[in-house]
Structures are given as C-alpha cells and as structure tokens.
Amino acid sequence: MRRAVCPGSFDPVTWGHLDIIGRASTLYDEVVVAVLINQSKPGMFTIAEREELLREVTAPYGNVVIDSFHGLLVDYCRARDIPVIVKGLRAVSDFDYELQMAQMNNRLAGVQTLFMATNPEFSFLSSSLLKEVARYGGDVSGLVPELVLDALRERVGTAAS
Ligand code: PNS
C-alpha cells in the first residue's frame, strides 16, 4: 500500500489544507493527516477538536485517516511505515524552512518529502491569519468549510462572518 502523511497543526483546517490533502489522496492509497501535539502551543482548538473537524471534512475522500502525534515526525513515519511526507508550498517564503525540514527528515530517516504547489486561490491563507481575521470580526467565509466556519464562530463569539 502506498501511504503518505500530511502533517501540520491544523488549528483549524482550511481549504488550503484540504486542497493539498485532496490532491494527495488521488496519488496515494492512504493519506494520514497527522496533527502535531504541541504542549507549548495550546491553540484555538484542542487536538481532539482539530481531529474531529478534519475527520468530518475529509470524509468524502474515502482514503484519508486522521491521527495525531508528538515528537519527531520521522519517528511517527517510521513507526507507521510511511515513506512520504506531502507538504503544500504557498510562496517562496515557505520554501527555505520547508527545504531545511525536508533535508533534515531525509537525513534522519530517509523519508521523502513531496512538495505540492498550493492552489493560487489559497496561497495567502494560513490558519494563524484566518484566526486573527476571525477574532477581529473579519469575513472568513469561503476560506474554510462551513463546519469549520461554525466552529470558528462559536469560538470567537459571532464575530466570524
Ligand atoms: O502546520 P504547521 O505548524 O506549519 O506544521 C509544522 C509541522 C508539524 C509539519 C512541523 O513542525 C513538524 O514536522 N513538527 C514535528 C517535530 C519535528 O519533526 N521537527 C523536526 C523537523 S525537521
């Protein structure tokens, strides 16, 4: 079975993430979306909430499974026999750090990283920017699925349009 992992914080999942996950799901038999458990960064949504939102919005793909991990991504990959990490590249500004991580992950465990060019429709989008706009009452509809929009609205009051 050809398996890949899409790792990230997913706090919360956006259409930008789903664009990459959806395209990865056409290339691999199984795509594991792995949410990083970062004790020092609690985030807006708990790990369980992020996983639940991901589970709901990726259900249509059929071959996407949701999980969480802590520690090194390569240890997670090794433990689950996953040889490929799939990442989205939004802009040149993403590239430097992503390249460093890809090279380190390859050196540590021989894991390959596949970069996908983000759909230009979402190249400006990040979860942190999304949360900032939502917190101040900006309109974030169209940037996340309806289910996530509802969760955001609930979390920031009725501010997220
Ligand atoms: O959505 P994010 O926060 O940009 O995702 C970053 C993530 C989770 C992919 C990256 O921080 C990661 O892989 N963290 C796990 C710890 C690790 O393996 N660090 C060494 C990277 S070479």
Side-chain angles (χ1 to χ4, degrees):
M1 181 189 271
R2 290 175 315 143
R3 197 182 281 137
V5 64
C6 288
S9 301
F10 302 104
D11 185 38
V13 58
T14 69
W15 278 123
H17 295 128
L18 283 169
D19 167 49
I20 300 298
I21 295 166
R23 283 150 66 199
S25 78
T26 67
L27 299 176
Y28 295 93
D29 299 316
E30 184 178 270
V31 173
V32 180
V33 178
V35 182
L36 174 69
I37 302 168
N38 186 347
Q39 313 283 15
S40 60
K41 234 176 110 186
M44 180 179 273
F45 295 96
T46 66
I47 299 298
E49 288 170 335
R50 293 178 216 179
E51 285 191 74
E52 189 48 35
L53 289 173
L54 276 162
R55 220 162 263 127
E56 302 245 8
V57 297
T58 60
Y61 298 127
N63 63 341
V64 175
V65 298
I66 311 301
D67 197 7
S68 56
F69 75 105
H70 52 79
L72 288 178
L73 178 58
V74 289
D75 288 339
Y76 179 83
C77 290
R78 256 197 291 239
R80 280 155 190 80
D81 207 16
I82 300 176
V84 180
I85 299 165
V86 175
K87 289 280 193 83
L89 279 184
R90 287 167 297 193
V92 176
S93 51
D94 281 344
F95 184 73
D96 283 352
Y97 188 48
E98 290 295 343
L99 179 67
Q100 263 187 304
M101 285 198 288
Q103 289 169 332
M104 179 62 90
N105 285 331
N106 187 258
R107 185 187 176 99
L108 288 171
V111 174
Q112 307 296 341
T113 299
L114 178 87
F115 291 121
M116 273 188 192
T118 299
N119 182 332
E121 203 186 332
F122 306 117
S123 61
F124 62 91
L125 182 56
S126 70
S127 295
S128 39
L129 204 51
L130 175 89
K131 284 181 285 189
E132 184 175 319
V133 173
R135 276 197 190 98
Y136 289 112
D139 182 5
V140 294
S141 55
L143 302 179
V144 291
E146 279 296 317
L147 185 78
V148 179
L149 190 61
D150 289 345
L152 263 172
R153 282 193 182 122
E154 185 266 324
R155 203 48 48 102
V156 300
T158 51
S161 304

